[in-house]
Amino acid sequence: MSELKDIFLSTCDRLLGELNTTDADDHGWPRAAWQRLVELGLPGALTPQHGDDGLSVADALAVNELCGYHTLALPLPETLVANRLLALAGLPIGDQPLTLAATAGEAVRLDREQDQWRLHGELSAVPWGRHADAVLLPKVSSPADLDA
């Protein structure tokens, strides 16, 4: 690992150890703690930015391990993966909290309504669902898929 990555992971370790996630707003969201993660650039650290390749998967796993070690009560691991998937799909990424959900066993359907797509149904047990700005899902069935 390069010296720069060592410094980055050391900084992450220190920051995660210092974060206060108990100071939450009226909706239970520790806004100041999330902002500290944003200031360090962690939500998008697994995506190519500013001409670099972003963290490697191994480095991202090291960050996730630090999140577990410090019992981070924020969706940083989910946001890292979600932003990486968005970037790979050519979609914009941001600093907002994101999460992922599985649709296996869930009754969800994707329909085209004029010029928009609408997801119908309910998902259970979505990690950070209350606080995430978006939820990434694996491909769900749409009527067009059924005709193929």
Side-chain angles (χ1 to χ4, degrees):
M1 183 182 296
S2 73
E3 184 178 342
L4 186 58
K5 298 280 173 124
D6 287 340
I7 292 169
F8 176 76
L9 291 175
S10 174
T11 302
C12 288
D13 188 26
R14 189 179 72 252
L15 170 68
L16 295 173
E18 295 171 353
L19 277 181
N20 176 4
T21 58
T22 60
D23 185 19
D25 64 17
D26 294 340
H27 303 287
W29 180 248
R31 190 171 314 280
W34 184 260
Q35 188 56 40
R36 292 276 293 137
L37 298 177
V38 168
E39 289 166 4
L40 190 58
L42 285 175
L46 193 53
T47 62
Q49 296 178 349
H50 313 296
D52 65 14
D53 292 331
L55 290 179
S56 69
V57 173
D59 295 333
L61 289 173
V63 171
N64 286 347
E65 186 177 330
L66 289 171
C67 291
Y69 177 79
H70 292 289
T71 60
L72 180 67
L74 289 168
L76 180 60
E78 294 88 345
T79 301
L80 280 167
V81 172
N83 271 330
R84 175 66 175 216
L85 293 172
L86 289 171
L88 289 172
L91 297 170
I93 66 160
D95 293 329
Q96 70 275 13
L98 304 172
T99 193
L100 309 155
T103 57
E106 303 283 350
V108 293
R109 186 182 79 247
L110 186 63
D111 291 323
R112 181 96 174 161
E113 295 180 2
Q114 297 173 3
D115 62 343
Q116 297 180 351
W117 289 96
R118 181 171 294 241
L119 185 67
H120 300 274
E122 258 183 55
L123 295 170
S124 59
V126 176
W128 299 101
R130 178 184 306 172
H131 300 292
D133 284 22
V135 177
L136 272 68
L137 303 171
K139 183 179 178 207
V140 296
S141 295
S142 69
D145 292 334
L146 300 177
D147 295 333

